[in-house]
Amino acid sequence: MKLNFDFAVQEVADMFVAVAKDRETGDPQKVFRLNETGATIIEALQEGSDEEAIVARLTREFNVDEATARKETAGFIQMLTDNGLASL
């Protein structure tokens, strides 16, 4: 999985806002809201983590079972791909 943009993620009140920025120009391309899980997944992807590492991180940081973490990770990655923000 490869992110197609650089992401800046900022916590605002009780949510996170992510800005997808063009890698060459730094210009913002898309802005969207995230929950804490989504922000963690974006951060992990930017660090180069694969899906298995992300699942392990979610189970550890959010105290959820592996099946839930796997479902959340797969769904979020699919959303990124569907919106052109990432490539498989």
Side-chain angles (χ1 to χ4, degrees):
M1 141 132 285
K2 173 186 166 257
L3 292 173
N4 296 333
F5 298 90
D6 289 328
F7 288 86
V9 179
Q10 183 71 38
E11 187 172 5
V12 179
D14 61 345
M15 67 178 170
F16 292 82
V17 176
V19 178
K21 301 184 297 181
D22 183 276
R23 288 202 165 127
E24 291 182 23
T25 65
D27 292 338
Q29 301 298 306
K30 297 184 181 197
V31 178
F32 53 100
R33 293 184 310 177
L34 300 169
N35 61 19
E36 190 173 3
T37 304
T40 300
I41 294 171
I42 288 282
E43 180 181 295
L45 289 169
Q46 291 189 117
E47 293 169 353
S49 297
D50 64 10
E51 196 166 334
E52 289 302 313
I54 294 169
V55 169
R57 182 171 174 176
L58 293 181
T59 58
R60 185 177 62 252
E61 290 185 18
F62 294 98
N63 196 29
V64 297
D65 61 88
E66 184 178 334
T68 300
R70 191 168 303 286
K71 180 180 174 186
E72 292 294 322
T73 300
F76 191 80
I77 288 172
Q78 188 63 54
M79 181 278 301
L80 290 174
T81 303
D82 290 349
N83 286 285
L85 299 168
S87 305
L88 295 176

